[in-house]
Amino acid sequence: MERFKNKNILITGSTSGIGQACAERFAKEGANIILNGRHFEDDEKQLIKKIEAYGNKVKFVQGDLSKGMDSLAILQQAIDAFGGLDILVNNAGVERSADFWDVTEEDYDLVMHTNLKGVFFGTQTFVKYCQKENKPGIIINMSSVHEEIIFPHFSAYCASKGALKMLMRNLATELAPLNIRINNVAPGAISTPINQKMMADKEKMKGLLENIPMKRMGTSDEVAGLVAFLASDDASYITGSTYFIDGGLTYHYEEQ
Ligand code: NAI
């Protein structure tokens, strides 16, 4: 399947986990890929080779989405990389755990700047570009089930993902006349580096799995499949919604 042939796609935070899986999925389906990460070292060079093996163009844009207005520069470099950008996947995200009363301004800023401010102004740059070129666009935000359900001790994370829900809903209305679609993907528990600490804790894992109707974590590839669907022409009438991919976690009911 070559659903994304000649499409240029930026995936932020694509050097591990879900972002990397999305990059591989889009490359497999014919797209030119713009990778993004904060560091450019051996692992990133290996990743470029891996993605290039699918036979399409690959560019790495180094940049930190939590740093002020760097998101504008990241987007601009992505737009310039192959002479245009068709699809933006706002994937980069971080979480910090602490009791509410112990959350530092530093951790609050890191989470909010990466998960929200970077998305906000990166998306704005993409939209201005689409407007100027008079071309359609597709935006997918990597949100979380925690745009909807609580996650005690992760208050800044929940605040950032909850904001992403309303940002997406607002933009769906504002951007529809510009022929730009925007949706959120809301993963539940996915086995990626972000969950490394929890996955190493047997007790915590037991509690987590008991709470998931499908009794397992999801994979990055499963999330990438949903992202690819939402970015494809099969989703041409879909905008303004959140798509949960969570093994039933969000709205489950424990039968007694
Ligand atoms: P991950 O830690 O493997 O991936 C996060 C990626 O974002 C990494 O490549 C990291 O380098 C990058 N990143 C972090 N801060 C950045 C910054 N300031 N600038 C540029 N890149 C930055 O974790 P995962 O799970 O793949 O997370 C991807 C997204 O999925 C995040 O937005 C996360 O909130 C979301 N998510 C993940 C879930 C899970 O269970 N794994 C569940 C719900 C949402």
Side-chain angles (χ1 to χ4, degrees):
M1 238 190 328
E2 294 236 303
R3 288 189 291 183
F4 302 106
K5 192 148 188 63
N6 299 321
K7 298 287 184 200
N8 301 328
I9 307 182
L10 166 65
I11 304 120
T12 66
S14 39
T15 56
S16 70
I18 294 169
Q20 182 177 334
C22 290
E24 290 190 41
R25 176 70 188 244
F26 281 126
K28 213 181 278 183
E29 293 203 38
N32 300 317
I33 305 295
I34 300 115
L35 300 163
N36 156 251
R38 287 162 293 179
H39 317 286
F40 187 66
E41 286 157 18
D42 284 350
D43 283 353
E44 286 71 31
K45 288 177 192 159
Q46 289 302 322
L47 179 62
I48 291 178
K49 281 194 188 139
K50 194 174 178 193
I51 307 278
E52 272 173 346
Y54 292 105
N56 310 301
K57 289 186 265 186
V58 185
K59 164 100 180 163
F60 189 92
V61 173
Q62 190 176 354
D64 185 335
L65 283 160
S66 73
K67 292 258 155 55
M69 303 306 269
D70 271 19
S71 53
L72 273 66
I74 293 169
L75 259 291
Q76 198 51 57
Q77 285 180 61
I79 290 164
D80 295 342
F82 306 125
L85 190 65
D86 302 289
I87 299 166
L88 167 63
V89 182
N90 288 312
N91 168 76
V94 288
E95 60 181 35
R96 288 290 178 274
S97 167
D99 292 331
F100 172 68
W101 43 92
D102 287 333
V103 175
T104 61
E105 186 177 2
E106 192 187 349
D107 276 355
Y108 173 91
D109 282 348
L110 178 72
V111 170
M112 296 303 278
H113 286 182
T114 310
N115 299 5
L116 186 60
K117 189 175 176 184
V119 173
F120 192 105
F121 287 102
T123 300
Q124 190 186 60
T125 306
F126 180 55
V127 167
K128 283 182 179 175
Y129 152 77
C130 292
Q131 247 177 334
K132 192 166 145 255
E133 299 295 323
N134 195 21
K135 66 181 291 230
I138 294 167
I139 301 160
I140 293 152
N141 297 325
M142 199 55 64
S143 180
S144 163
V145 292
H146 300 299
E147 70 160 51
E148 186 71 20
I149 60 173
I150 63 160
F151 196 10
H153 317 294
F154 287 83
S155 48
Y157 185 75
C158 287
S160 72
K161 297 297 187 180
L164 215 46
K165 173 168 84 174
M166 286 313 296
L167 177 64
M168 176 276 294
R169 288 185 181 176
N170 247 44
L171 295 192
T173 297
E174 281 196 57
L175 304 183
L178 302 178
N179 207 6
I180 298 174
R181 297 195 291 110
I182 179 165
N183 290 289
N184 281 8
V185 166
I190 311 298
S191 50
T192 71
I194 216 174
N195 287 322
Q196 223 161 19
K197 230 167 110 186
M198 185 189 54
M199 290 190 296
D201 185 327
K202 277 194 178 150
E203 274 306 300
K204 278 202 174 138
M205 273 303 282
K206 193 166 167 274
L208 172 78
L209 296 181
E210 270 169 12
N211 215 22
I212 301 172
M214 286 182 74
K215 304 295 175 213
R216 68 168 177 88
M217 294 181 86
T219 68
S220 297
D221 288 342
E222 288 174 314
V223 180
L226 174 58
V227 173
F229 163 71
L230 288 172
S232 76
D233 288 345
D234 288 336
S236 53
Y237 195 53
I238 298 180
T239 196
S241 293
T242 293
Y243 293 82
F244 290 86
I245 175 160
D246 63 356
L249 170 71
T250 304
Y251 295 119
H252 82 283
Y253 169 73
E254 210 57 59
E255 281 183 305
Q256 301 303 316

